[in-house]
Amino acid sequence: MDYLIHIAILIGIYSILALSLNLIVGYTGLLSITQAAFYGIGAYATAILLTSFGMNFFLSIIVGMIITGVVSLAIGYVLSKFDGDYFALGSFGFNIIVYSIFLNWQSLTRGPLGIPGISKPSLFGLDFGENIIFLILVIIFALAVYFTSRFITNSSFGRVLKAIREDEKAIEVFGYNTLFFKLTIFAIGAMIASIAGALFASYITYVDPTSFALSESIFILAIIILGGLANNKGVVLGVVCLVILPEALRFVGFPSDIAAQMRQVTYGLILILLMLYRPQGLLGEYKL
Amino acid sequence: MKKIVGILVIILVVVGGIYFFKNKPTSTKGSGLKVGVILPLTGDLSITGEKLYQGVQLAQAQLEKEGVKFVVEDSHSKPTDAVSAASKLLNVDKVDVIIGTYSPDETIAVAPLALKENKDVFSFSFCSDSFKPLTNVFCGYPNADKQLDTVVPMIQKKGIKTMALVDANSDFGINSRDAMVRKAPSAGYTVVYNELVPNANGDYRTFATKIIASKADSVFVTMDNPVDALTVVKQLRELGFKGTAITFVDVDNKNLEKFGSFGEGTFAPGIAPSQFSSDYTSMYKAKFSGTPDYVSALGYDMTTYVVKAMEENPGKGSKTAVFNYKYKNPAIENFSFLEDRTVVYQLELQMAKNQQYVKAEY
Amino acid sequence: MEIVPQLIVNSIIAGAIYSMVALGFNLIYGTAKFFDLGYGVLTAIGGYAVFYFSSTLGFNIYISIILGVLVAGFVGYLIEKIVYKKLRARKASSMVFMVAALGVMTTLQAIIAILFSSQFQVFPATINTQTFQIFGGVITGVQLIALTLSIVIMFVLVLTLRFTKFGKAIKAVSDDAEVAKMVGINTDGIISKVFFIGSCIAGLAGVLVGFDTGIEPIMGFSLLLKGVIASIIGGVGNIYGGVLGSFLLGFIENFGIWKISGEWKDAISFSVLIVFLLFRPNGILGKKQ
């Protein structure tokens, strides 16, 4: 049924986002709260390239990834000068700055008016307008991201990331250039998030700044903390829980006018209880 | 660990079960009308969403007696969630029409989905230019140009020559600014200050300082939230602004009361409380106590108009039904839809006097 | 009203409110050693408590203010006891604290919205409606009170920290909690009291904002962010630093809006934050570690 397909597409998009953040936070231990910014850059890139230039969707993903990669390297470089708490605060700051740019650079993004009329992808004449076909596209991307993520984390590159998470100073002593590793994974995570953004833009056919504010970054963080840091299966479980939860609440007769406030209460409580009793999340291997 | 996963699985199964048994998709052929309502009941837009919901509830109470079924969903003030709500209403509940949502971005996001199912969307949003190509979207709030027609005579009579524009950085604010800039040559004023301000900010003092420095005769304030607009006026007055203040907001005495003497003399195009039908006024008082406001009346009128039109024109689809129907006894005087799917009603320029909105005197 | 004096007054008014938030935030950071992102919501709690007492229950406005501030302090104290103390006992990392604080903020904001609706509210009575002229700039009575209070609180804190036994104990815990414990100081008790005092200050800030403009459930977050930026600019953990940073931030924002368009207000503040984090992370008055 179309509604279930819709939910499945959202789960797919958020899985890609969560997996991307997991590489940065879960495996490398960098508390980054700005993933929505990269999500947004990917979405706006696709939106602008498709509506103003008629570019092919898949090509726009590549362009979007390149732009996001460059921006994330700049942001990542600045952030690498900070540690711990300051890193998180700095990332907050970047999210807000990027959001301001989406909102105020109106000649490019049309600001709060948003960009409507984004077309669905087309490839070899195959029309992705049918939701079920779009879902298959999303699943293909999500699987690709999942396996890429697993490949990275199981490789020797991934082992260095985990070592950075556990004790950065120690691994520096061994001669590893930790800055290189941190920047690389930060950029990779950002580029993957931009793929999710492109899919989002084409699916909803409309983007506007409100979807990429700080609260979205916090939501993605909550997903991976719930599901389990540094565990890719856990991340998907977290996505399923937190995306299905508000939709399920639609059916379970909470009085309409407090339903979404109750959802916020639930999120907050989930975060608090997890931190108190299970900081590694449901399936995670890394205790924050 | 297994316990936690187990509990989660049970919760999901239970919820899934409830979903299946409660919402078996039913065919609407032959059964009563089913209306889907999407409103921002939570999130940034909930202030207006809650008010709209009051009006919808009043309409719902009457119409349910005639066998119409309503399903109300929350858009959480986010376009993505509005799409989820619309997907559920169209695909699971199989509604015949969507009433809502409130903001332009939510509406634009929902429109294509409804179009695919051949259903129309009656949005409470103001009539943005972005809606023009969306052939299945109706809007509920006259656009800036129509509202400003009531303001121009006052500007000319009072001899206002210079104007400062303060607009929220939003679809509504930008549309309003563009309209005021367009009207300037014909109405005879010059725009000497023009700034988009962050929405819902609270501290507008430096903007007020810039306005006073520009020596404008008048200020025209458009914010998404009426209280914000009145806050701008208050801060202007505190700093000594003596010019004419015009707010482009919903006219609601409850808001004026919060600002005491600072609101005095502020103009606002809109519907005065006295223009609501007596039926609606007593209906509102009975359920919510106090005088009704424009936003809830909009919620009531939109819902009643569309549903009654569809009841009288069964099987013709909401668009045809609405164009063939004459809406009697609206809450807002002369509420009716135009051929271009925008709405029109009797707007008048109001003025704040003794913390009440009355017909403007100038 | 003349322009530059007015801008200066605007900056000072903004700075006064930010400095209260920064003072409380700094106090908590100094002793508990984490960035309490849930601190901002206490301003909303203070404001709504006053609203409840004065509007719903009809108490006298001054009594409502006192009660409101105490309610905020008490809630902050409770949160510390229920959540942060347990995390401290487990020696949780600062990331865990931050995420837990985010959870606290999300939950409390939503509860306020459920209880009072998201509508913007104002208090039924006011404490002062006069306006004054200072060197060509206009300031209202409420704003003047806010300014005075922020300076008073700063001095009270400084004097308390330096001259009272309680203050010295706080300093000891800030410098090194382990050593303080060994010397016999009840660190948990000190931290609890610090949370109470800090939360009272937040509540007071919320109340003053309520009188100046109004209250809404999400008001705390942006106030908190400003307080955090101010603390970092001025020097985290340093009382004078927080206040200095606050007024500096007020100036940067208001003169920034004057020169650059108002839409970029938030971006300006955060850019300043990042510049400081890059070049002077200890802030203007912070100790070089």
Side-chain angles (χ1 to χ4, degrees), chain A residues 36 73 92 126 222 240 250 255 276:
Chain A
L73 280 175
F92 254 36
L126 198 69
V240 168
R250 289 191 198 280
L276 279 177

Side-chain angles (χ1 to χ4, degrees), chain B residues 41-44 46-48 50-51 169 195-198 200-203 205-210 212-213 225 227-228 231 234-235 238-240 257-259 262, chain C residues 1-3 6-7 10 13-14 18 113 117-122 129 131 138-140 143 211-213 216 218 253-255 257-263 265-266:
Chain B
L41 296 171
T42 52
D44 293 340
S46 57
I47 296 180
T48 314
E50 284 170 0
K51 285 258 149 86
N169 193 1
E195 183 124 60
L196 290 178
V197 310
N201 183 37
D203 179 0
R205 275 177 286 266
T206 298
F207 299 109
T209 310
K210 281 164 108 168
I212 298 181
N225 184 337
V227 173
D228 274 334
T231 306
K234 171 175 177 237
Q235 290 175 353
E238 278 173 351
L239 292 182
E257 285 158 12
K258 297 178 184 162
F259 289 91
F262 289 112
Chain C
M1 180 222 84
E2 288 150 59
I3 305 167
Q6 188 60 51
L7 286 179
N10 295 345
I13 297 168
Y18 297 160
S117 94
S118 319
Q119 307 280 351
F120 183 85
Q121 307 283 4
V122 294
T129 48
T131 56
V138 174
I139 190 171
T140 68
Q143 292 159 357
F211 278 111
D212 190 31
T213 44
E216 48 179 2
I218 53 173
E253 276 186 345
N254 282 287
F255 279 90
I257 298 176
W258 174 253
K259 280 296 156 203
I260 313 174
S261 178
E263 311 142 24
K265 182 176 172 183
D266 286 341

Side-chain angles (χ1 to χ4, degrees), chain A residues 24 30 32 34-35 37-39 41 64-80 87 94 98 179 182-194:
Chain A
I24 301 173
L30 300 170
S32 162
T34 181
Q35 209 66 355
F38 306 126
Y39 180 39
I41 296 178
M65 281 175 76
I66 295 175
I67 299 176
T68 312
V70 169
V71 172
S72 67
L73 280 175
I75 295 180
Y77 180 71
V78 173
L79 285 178
S80 67
F87 186 97
F94 274 115
V98 172
L179 180 62
K182 288 197 291 191
L183 278 181
T184 309
I185 199 65
F186 194 75
I188 292 178
M191 292 194 287
I192 295 178
S194 78

Side-chain angles (χ1 to χ4, degrees), chain B residues 77-113:
Chain B
S77 304
K78 286 165 64 171
T80 318
D81 290 13
V83 171
S84 296
S87 181
K88 177 197 172 261
L89 288 173
L90 291 164
N91 297 310
V92 176
D93 300 298
K94 303 242 188 275
V95 297
D96 300 302
V97 68
I98 292 187
I99 299 190
T101 150
Y102 166 60
S103 69
D105 54 358
E106 290 174 340
T107 308
I108 295 174
V110 164
L113 209 68

Side-chain angles (χ1 to χ4, degrees), chain B residues 133-150:
Chain B
L134 302 173
T135 55
N136 63 331
V137 172
F138 287 71
C139 46
Y141 198 104
N143 69 11
D145 290 287
K146 292 212 178 65
Q147 301 221 25
L148 296 174
D149 286 339
T150 62

Side-chain angles (χ1 to χ4, degrees), chain A residues 202-223:
Chain A
S202 192
Y203 176 58
I204 305 278
T205 73
Y206 171 73
V207 292
D208 79 323
T210 60
S211 306
F212 310 113
L214 191 60
S215 47
E216 192 73 1
S217 293
I218 296 178
F219 178 62
I220 304 173
L221 183 67
I223 291 177

